[in-house]
Amino acid sequence: MGWIVNLWTISLLTFSNSFAWTNETQSNPSLAFSVTPSSSASTKSLDYFDEEKFISIKLGEKINLSCTNRTWSTMLYDTWGLTNTDKTCRIAHSNSEPPVNNCNDGRILINTTEGRSQLHIPPFNYTYEGIYKCQTAFQHGSHTTVFNVSAIVQPEISGRIEYSTNDNHDVAVCEASNGRPNASISWTSDENVADKIIYNQNRTFTVESRLIIPYNTSMGNITCIVSHPYWNESQTYTIPYIRGTAQHLRHSPVIPACLFCVLLIIFVTSFVCIKKHLADLRNCCKSTMPVATTPTKTQQDVEEVEPYASYVERVNSIYNSSAELCNV
């Protein structure tokens, strides 16, 4: 009988509490509002939560970022803290204080025709990548949004067939080069696939996907599918394939022989041309070289010799006269 009495007591207490709560909510409507929030109350509560967004911007593209959809009629201030790879700066507008902008790189706050505040980013480049933290204060609350801003670059797709000596298989290679972020490559058959991601010096990525072609594949087209945020839809790339072509091109002796013949022809032609030009050069030099001739006496030489001849003639005359005297 004791447990029956206890059960009856608990039932009376529950009923009395329920009756008291009903009377209290009827006399105080705010309590009823807190138990069952209206749609307007739930909408306002979202303003108090922080929000994080990931934004990818094409290089050279202009963009405007909005921290909130509120207008300046209800806003008190709008401030942006920008953290980039090379610097940190701040841009802010307020109803009561002068504007602040120590970025000095073209990024500014603008107002739309509806009176909303937006951060304007000029033609985008890698220096604008980083964390953008926006805080907006308005009547009865504030809102903070964090933007993870990065550049997006379209990759270049290419493909080829190679022969792998390690596996003794033909391999289809699909490559998405110089993209940012890195692309995703898939095949119509996902078996025997190996992917490699390379980070380039220009801040882009190159993705190489290799598909081992089964032995029972003789010929046809092999298709790879490339996905990237730059495109709205995935891109397909078709690689023509004929079995044995890659191995033949790799090991065929025809290619070295042809290369040797080409080099030999170039060498012989160059030798003949050089020899001919050297012969022409020698003939040209011989024709232009002056011929040595016997020097002739000039009038000046004759005039220089005449005094000496006169002196010799006088000496001979005196000698002859002395000889004649001695004979007498």
Side-chain angles (χ1 to χ4, degrees), residues 80-277:
W80 291 76
L82 312 180
T83 304
N84 306 117
T85 55
D86 57 343
K87 68 176 180 180
T88 300
C89 58
R90 178 173 175 266
I91 305 175
H93 277 188
S94 172
N95 286 333
S96 58
E97 297 180 1
V100 176
N101 187 346
N102 57 9
C103 293
N104 300 323
D105 55 8
R107 292 178 290 186
I108 59 175
L109 281 178
I110 61 174
N111 294 325
T112 65
T113 55
E114 294 83 6
R116 296 186 178 92
S117 178
Q118 292 183 337
L119 176 67
H120 173 73
I121 302 177
F124 195 81
N125 58 67
Y126 287 121
T127 61
Y128 292 151
E129 289 185 315
I131 305 298
Y132 291 53
K133 185 176 182 180
C134 170
Q135 185 177 21
T136 301
F138 45 87
Q139 299 174 3
H140 311 298
S142 64
H143 182 72
T144 302
T145 305
V146 175
F147 295 87
N148 295 273
V149 179
S150 60
I152 183 171
V153 182
Q154 178 182 5
E156 302 172 0
I157 306 176
S158 60
R160 61 188 182 275
I161 300 294
E162 293 182 356
Y163 180 76
S164 175
T165 56
N166 297 330
D167 303 322
N168 294 324
H169 269 284
D170 288 340
V171 178
V173 182
C174 186
E175 189 175 85
S177 58
N178 299 317
R180 184 181 177 93
N182 56 285
S184 176
I185 301 178
S186 60
W187 303 82
T188 52
S189 174
D190 292 334
E191 298 180 358
N192 300 321
V193 174
D195 295 336
K196 180 174 65 174
I197 301 176
I198 303 171
Y199 180 73
N200 304 318
Q201 293 183 352
N202 60 354
R203 302 185 182 183
T204 61
F205 296 88
T206 295
V207 181
E208 182 184 88
S209 183
R210 304 173 66 88
L211 171 68
I212 297 178
I213 303 174
Y215 281 116
N216 57 0
T217 304
S218 58
M219 63 180 299
N221 294 328
I222 301 176
T223 302
C224 64
I225 304 169
V226 182
S227 302
H228 194 268
Y230 192 93
W231 306 308
N232 295 327
E233 298 180 355
S234 299
Q235 306 292 312
T236 58
Y237 188 87
T238 302
I239 308 172
Y241 172 71
I242 300 177
R243 171 161 290 282
T245 302
Q247 183 178 5
H248 176 73
L249 293 176
R250 183 182 179 91
H251 300 285
S252 176
V254 176
I255 296 178
C258 293
L259 182 61
F260 175 77
C261 291
V262 171
L263 293 177
L264 182 61
I265 292 172
I266 294 174
F267 176 76
V268 172
T269 304
S270 301
F271 179 77
V272 172
C273 292
I274 293 173
K275 186 176 181 181
K276 182 179 179 181
H277 284 298

Side-chain angles (χ1 to χ4, degrees), residues 306-324:
E306 281 182 356
Y308 177 75
S310 302
Y311 172 77
V312 173
E313 185 178 356
R314 288 195 215 98
V315 172
N316 289 337
S317 300
I318 296 171
Y319 177 78
N320 292 334
S321 300
S322 300
E324 288 178 358

